[in-house]
Every structure is written in structure tokens, then in C-alpha cells.
Amino acid sequence: MNRRRSPLAPSRAASAGRAVLIAVALILAIGPVLYGVLLSLRPYSAVVQNPLDVIPSWEELDFSGFTTAMLDEADGGFGLGRFVLNSLLIALGTVVLSVVVSILGAYAAARLRYRGRGAVNAIILGVYLFPGIVLSVPLFVLLARAGLTGSLLGLYFVYVATTVPVAIYMMRNYFLALPESIEEAAIIDGASLPRMLRSVVLPIALPGVVATAIYVFMIAWNEYFYALLFLVQDRTLWTAPLGISQLTDFNVPVTVLLAGSIAVTLPVVVLFFLAQRYLVDGLTSGAEK
Amino acid sequence: MTTAAPRGLRRGRPPGRSRRDDRNGLLLTAPTLLVVLIASIIPLVLVVVFAFSEIRLVDIPRLGTEPIEWTLDNFRRALGNPSFWQALGTTLLYATLAMIGSVGVGLVLALALRRPFRGRGVVRALLLVPYVLPVIAAVTIWQTMLNPQYGIVNAVGREFLGWPSAVGFLNTTTAEVWGIPIPLSLLVVVCFEIWTSAPLSFLFITARLQGVAPSIEEAAALDGANSRQITTRIVLPQLKGVILLLCLLRFIWTFQSFSEIYLLTEGAGGTQVMALKVYTELVTRADIGSAAAYGLLMSVVLVALLVVYIVLARRKVDVE
């Protein structure tokens, strides 16, 4: 027997089983994504003729799917470039509005003992858990009544409303981790609340703010349902997810659709991995209790 | 919050501290409350009003100018419609299977990746990819994989597994597997949901696992417990809270999921869930009242489940 083994060291069979399990999980998680990337680099005819041949040979490597997807219709493409631009406008606007609103709300939730705090927190949590699909019916009617369907404005509003509860929850966790003594010192030195927030709290909480901003960006960038509900009539306003899903009905070659999907995916995957640690901390810190 | 402050400081504070907190707190939360009021609370009231009145899309310009006629017709029609009950059953089955799968897979992965090994960070990051992937990209990839003409799944099945013909994974209500009928498309949609959501369960369980003290396990191991006993008797009980919470959240979210199913199947092959029903009533049938009634009935089911959860959680606390 191996006497130097820690009592918790797994047996050899258990280690082997675990390695197999992890390998299978990796293949299942990454395999489909790789498959999509590889097919997007092949010509459509080759995909149809040899569906089993997933890895493109050097000479059949074909990047035209990406250009065809992105170019305007006038230039023989499918106009995804403009849809991506719309998505960018929507996502960035949502990030700015949502982060400003939730910095204030999260600071109050983390630090201030004001009357009605419990009720406010409960309302925000309740809203977060309430089925969004149910609220979509009155929201659609309200925005149609206000003449805001068929405009990006209505979408901003809905996206800010759906991201604020999560953003407050994430940022509150970061604010709670800040040393309170710094703020007390600033207040004793005579700093007003806005000044203290801007020049003392925000600089320290910046990683948390950035992580929250990235999370909000991902949600707004990926959203499909409200974009479909509000914007489907007006092609010039389509967001990238809406555009790709609408193109499916137009007999667009699957390689072009895949290229478009990959192009839409790259920004979020890059952002996610840049901020992974902070994002994961912000999302899960409640789970440790 | 004042525990960190020395006593003298607390006493020396300006007397207006709590009043100032009151004012600042409300000031800072005002924007949030405004957004929540307009986007959630007013709509919540309106959905009830709509559900009890006959309103169609063409009536929108006249809304607010005429008195509302209250009626139960929307509910009567919904509850008398067999397709409502079918959608409810499909949604419950879908949400239950996806919840079990997502939390189960997340748990297994979290336990498998618990002990450090070389490359664990990279593996963990790669496992999160399906969660980060935009829905539209994930759907496009799955539709391509499962396509009857050029999809890799059908190609492998016919080339190596001897399938007699291509399988329409996204539009087959029931398929016979060794003589047993299974709801094929529904299972595909469930698998898709598990694929995209298991990484999140994995994250939450991993975060909780970091708080499990290894010393208790070591003590148990020295007392002769084997690794299976340690997992089931020591680690899992500590994870019970986070697992229950994850189950609840996953169920609530999957119960109302729309985009995934709408994009994958558009409701074909027996995947017509409640959220799709709400959408169809609103957009295709242009019936606001009926859509609101469907939505309200969905919420009733969710609230009922939530109450059951709270009662169960409370009773467990009482027993312990």
C-alpha cells in the first residue's frame, strides 16, 4: 500500500473515471461550437456533399461566408453589418443607462440604512423572479400606445428594466466588500454624497462596475424576444439575433448563417474571458452562504 | 454597519445621520423604482385588466378612452381549450426535465472538477462556453447539426449506426426507440436547454463547494469512510441549500423560456409551450385579452409552485 497517500486522494479507478467524464464533458461543450466554426469556413456545396467531412481542407478554406453575411444587400450580401451596428447601439446604450441607475441603487442597498429599504429590496427581487413573458403583453400594448414599437427607444427601456435587478444584485456584492472606513473618513472630511461616490467609491469598485457592465452588455446583445416583438416590421432596425433568425426564412446558405452567428458570438466570448473572474465572483457570491 | 466604527465616533456623529440616510436612500433608489414601476408594476396591473376584458390589437389606439367591460370569457375559452392543457403539460414536462438535467449535470461537473489538476482553469473556462454563446448562435449550430440533409448527427447515424432514413429531430412529435414511443423534439429542446444552462449550475455549485471545509472530510476518511460515503454523507448535505435554490430558479426560468424553443422548432413536433402560446395569441391571433389570460394563468402556476417551495423549505427548517 502507498502509505504516503493523503486519506482523501482518490483511487486510481476513480481518477480514470473522472478524466473520462471531464473529456466527454469538454467534447459535448466545445464540440458543437467547433463544428459551427469549421463549417462556416467551408463552401456550402462541400457541406451538402460531404456532411461527415467537418475539417476543411486547405484549398477549400472559404471566408466568403463572413463577407456575404456582413455586406449590405446592395453589395450582394445579407446586411448583417447593419444589424450588428444596431445591436451595438442598443447594447452600449443599455449598458450606460443600466449601470448608472444600478450604481445608485446598489450603493443604497449595500450601505444606507434608510426607511423602506427592506420593501425596496423585496420589490426588486420580486420583479426579477416574475415571468418576463407575462409582462411582455402589457409592455407591448403600452409601447404601441406611446408609439414606441418600431423604434429602438422602446427596446432601451425594456432592456434597462430587465437588467437593473441583476446589475444591482451584482454590484451590491462588490460594494459590500469595500472597506466602509474609507467612506466614513470622506464624509467626516466633508465630502458630499455624490462627490464621495464619484471620487472614493467608484474608483475602488471599478472592477465590479466593469464586470456588471459586461454582463449587461451580454444580455442586451443576445436578447431576441423583445427585439422580435417590437422591431420585426422594420428591417432597417433589426438587431443581429433578429436579423440572423429572419434570414433563416430566406434560403440563405447555412454556411453564411453560421458565419454570421460566429461573428455575433466573438465579441461576447472575448469580453467574457477578459472579465471572467470578476463576472463569476459577482454572479455567484451569494451561493457561498 | 456601525459595528466597525469606534464607539466615540458613533456618538460624535451629527444627529441628522439617520434622517440623511433616509433621504439619500430614497434619492438613490428613485431611478430604480421609477424603472421598476413603469416596466413591471404598471404592466402587472394592466395584464390583470386585459385578461378580464375583450381587447384586440386593433383596439390599442382607443385604449383609455372607453370604459372597460369586465368579462371572464378569456379564461373560459382558455380553460375550455384542449390545446391550453396540452401546452401546460408540455411546459411542466419540459421545465422539470430541463431543471433536473441542468442541476444534475452541473453537480456532477462541479464534483469532478473539485480537486485541483493541471489545466483545471482552462477546462472550467471552456465548459462555460455554451452558457456565454448567444442563443441565436447556439440555435443555428444545433439546427445545422440536426439537419436531415447535411447535419452531422444524421450523417453519422446513417453511415455508422445503420439508421434507415434521416431523422427529423426538430419536427417529430413521437419516435419509436426499441418499440418505446418518446417525444423526440421535446427531448431535443430539453437537451438544448440543459446544454446552455448546466454551466451556470456548475458555477453556482462550484462556488458553494469552495466553502466546504476539507477538514471534516479528512476526519471522516481517517475514520474509514470511503469516497462515496464522504460525497453522499458529508459534501452533498452541505450543498442541499444551493441545489434547492438552483432547482427553483431553473424551473422558474425554463417554465417561461421562449426564444430557445421558438428559434429551434417554432413550436413544431409537440414543443408548443405556454410562452409560445402567449406569443401566438398576441401576435398571430392579435388577441390581447386572451394573451394576457394565458400569461396570468402561467403566473398562477408559478406562484403556486413557489408557495409549495416556501412551505417545504420552512417545514424542513422546523424539523431540524
Side-chain angles (χ1 to χ4, degrees):
Chain A
M1 282 295 282
N2 186 349
R3 294 181 63 207
R4 271 194 295 173
R5 243 176 50 169
S6 138
L8 283 180
S11 70
R12 195 162 288 177
S15 308
R18 198 181 60 164
V20 171
L21 182 79
I22 292 171
V24 171
L26 270 181
I27 293 171
L28 287 178
I30 299 298
V33 183
L34 276 182
Y35 172 77
V37 173
L38 289 172
L39 283 207
S40 73
L41 299 174
R42 303 185 66 202
Y44 180 61
S45 55
V47 171
V48 175
Q49 274 158 21
N50 294 314
L52 276 177
D53 227 6
V54 173
I55 297 163
S57 61
W58 191 247
E59 36 306 346
E60 80 176 358
L61 216 54
D62 180 7
F63 290 94
S64 69
F66 286 87
T67 48
T68 318
M70 287 301 179
L71 283 179
D72 258 5
E73 292 101 89
D75 305 316
F78 292 101
L80 198 67
R82 201 179 51 233
F83 305 153
V84 167
L85 210 63
N86 287 339
S87 275
L88 209 60
L89 269 176
I90 285 280
L92 290 178
T94 306
V95 165
V96 172
L97 291 172
S98 175
V99 164
V100 169
V101 169
S102 28
I103 284 176
L104 303 177
Y107 185 77
R111 281 289 198 263
L112 304 177
R113 307 260 134 180
Y114 59 98
R115 213 183 306 170
R117 189 172 94 122
V120 168
N121 290 349
I123 290 174
I124 294 171
L125 183 72
V127 164
Y128 176 54
L129 289 180
F130 201 80
I133 192 95
V134 178
L135 299 181
S136 72
V137 178
L139 275 175
F140 180 81
V141 175
L142 276 180
L143 289 172
R145 190 77 175 82
L148 289 178
T149 45
S151 88
L152 298 186
L153 223 60
L155 221 50
Y156 278 126
F157 184 72
V158 172
Y159 287 2
V160 170
T162 47
T163 52
V164 157
V166 196
I168 286 187
Y169 165 77
M170 279 179 76
M171 265 196 277
R172 202 189 72 124
N173 287 334
Y174 289 108
F175 285 156
L176 282 174
L178 299 184
E180 210 170 331
S181 51
I182 303 179
E183 294 152 55
E184 304 217 330
I187 286 184
I188 287 168
D189 284 350
S192 64
L193 183 72
R195 198 188 138 83
M196 202 260 304
L197 267 180
R198 205 177 52 232
S199 29
V200 179
V201 175
L202 277 189
I204 318 178
L206 200 62
V209 174
V210 171
T212 312
I214 289 178
Y215 189 73
V216 171
F217 182 90
M218 281 168 54
I219 294 184
W221 181 262
N222 295 344
E223 209 282 335
Y224 173 75
F225 173 64
Y226 280 104
L228 173 73
L229 206 53
F230 293 167
L231 301 178
V232 75
Q233 313 286 359
D234 191 348
R235 190 175 174 143
T236 53
L237 292 177
W238 285 356
T239 60
L242 181 60
I244 294 174
S245 77
Q246 293 296 314
L247 290 181
T248 317
D249 301 336
F250 284 111
N251 267 330
V252 176
V254 71
T255 47
V256 173
L257 288 178
L258 284 170
S261 305
I262 304 298
V264 173
T265 302
L266 271 179
V268 282
V269 172
V270 169
L271 277 178
F272 182 84
F273 284 113
L274 283 180
Q276 194 206 3
R277 183 145 46 93
Y278 299 114
L279 271 171
V280 170
D281 282 354
L283 278 174
T284 60
S285 57
E288 280 173 46
K289 282 172 211 111
Chain B
M1 104 176 221
T2 43
T3 46
R7 270 184 158 244
L9 187 80
R10 202 194 298 176
R11 221 177 280 141
R13 228 177 233 161
R17 167 83 201 228
S18 76
R19 224 183 317 140
R20 204 180 54 202
D21 264 10
D22 274 357
R23 198 197 54 210
N24 286 339
L26 288 179
L27 219 60
L28 292 184
T29 26
T32 308
L33 284 178
L34 191 71
V35 169
V36 166
L37 179 75
I38 303 180
S40 304
I41 296 175
I42 293 177
L44 194 58
V45 174
L46 281 180
V47 85
V48 178
V49 175
F50 292 162
F52 287 99
S53 48
E54 289 284 348
I55 299 184
R56 307 184 66 84
L57 278 188
V58 288
D59 301 327
I60 288 183
R62 288 188 287 115
L63 271 185
T65 58
E66 289 167 23
I68 297 161
E69 272 181 51
W70 299 91
T71 164
L72 283 171
D73 283 357
N74 292 315
F75 292 101
R76 218 170 280 145
R77 273 198 303 266
L79 297 175
N81 190 344
S83 80
F84 166 81
W85 297 103
Q86 195 165 12
L88 183 62
T90 309
T91 314
L92 285 174
L93 183 64
Y94 165 71
T96 310
L97 290 177
M99 170 193 83
I100 295 171
S102 167
V103 179
V105 171
L107 176 64
V108 169
L109 287 179
L111 288 175
L113 286 170
R114 191 178 171 205
R115 309 240 172 271
F117 56 88
R118 202 190 301 179
R120 183 172 71 159
V122 179
V123 170
R124 201 181 265 173
L126 288 178
L127 288 179
L128 295 183
V129 167
Y131 170 67
V132 183
L133 209 63
V135 182
I136 187 71
V139 163
T140 311
I141 290 170
W142 274 59
Q143 278 176 334
T144 313
M145 283 195 316
L146 299 175
N147 187 288
Q149 274 110 50
Y150 48 75
I152 187 147
V153 175
N154 270 306
V156 168
R158 296 177 72 178
E159 189 85 11
F160 302 110
L161 304 177
W163 296 357
S165 62
V167 178
F169 282 99
L170 296 174
N171 54 17
T172 309
T173 309
T174 40
E176 297 250 319
V177 178
W178 297 300
I180 305 160
I182 56 159
L184 185 64
S185 294
L186 190 65
L187 287 183
V188 170
V189 180
V190 166
C191 287
F192 181 84
E193 181 67 33
I194 295 173
W195 189 71
T196 54
S197 69
L200 196 65
S201 309
F202 160 70
L203 268 186
F204 274 82
I205 298 171
T206 300
R208 181 63 186 83
L209 265 179
Q210 280 161 1
V212 174
S215 53
I216 310 174
E217 291 168 70
E218 267 163 33
L222 287 174
D223 286 346
N226 63 31
S227 57
R228 194 173 48 90
Q229 284 170 322
I230 291 176
T231 308
T232 53
R233 300 275 173 81
I234 294 173
V235 179
L236 283 184
Q238 296 190 61
L239 296 180
K240 208 167 66 188
V242 74
I243 288 176
L244 265 179
L245 185 69
L246 267 178
C247 283
L248 178 75
L249 290 178
R250 279 263 56 92
F251 192 91
I252 291 178
W253 282 325
T254 325
F255 189 83
Q256 40 172 319
S257 74
F258 170 86
S259 305
E260 296 83 355
I261 303 180
Y262 181 78
L263 285 167
L264 267 176
T265 67
E266 291 199 26
T271 58
Q272 185 78 247
V273 291
M274 290 289 282
L276 260 68
K277 273 290 205 207
V278 175
Y279 177 81
T280 323
E281 292 296 318
L282 180 66
V283 173
T284 318
R285 301 199 47 236
D287 191 338
I288 296 173
S290 175
Y294 272 93
L296 214 55
L297 290 169
M298 259 176 96
S299 328
V300 169
V301 175
L302 275 187
V303 169
L305 289 167
L306 209 62
V307 169
V308 171
Y309 172 85
I310 292 170
V311 168
L312 281 181
R314 190 162 289 166
R315 186 179 299 164
K316 227 166 243 151
V317 171
D318 285 348
V319 170
E320 285 163 8

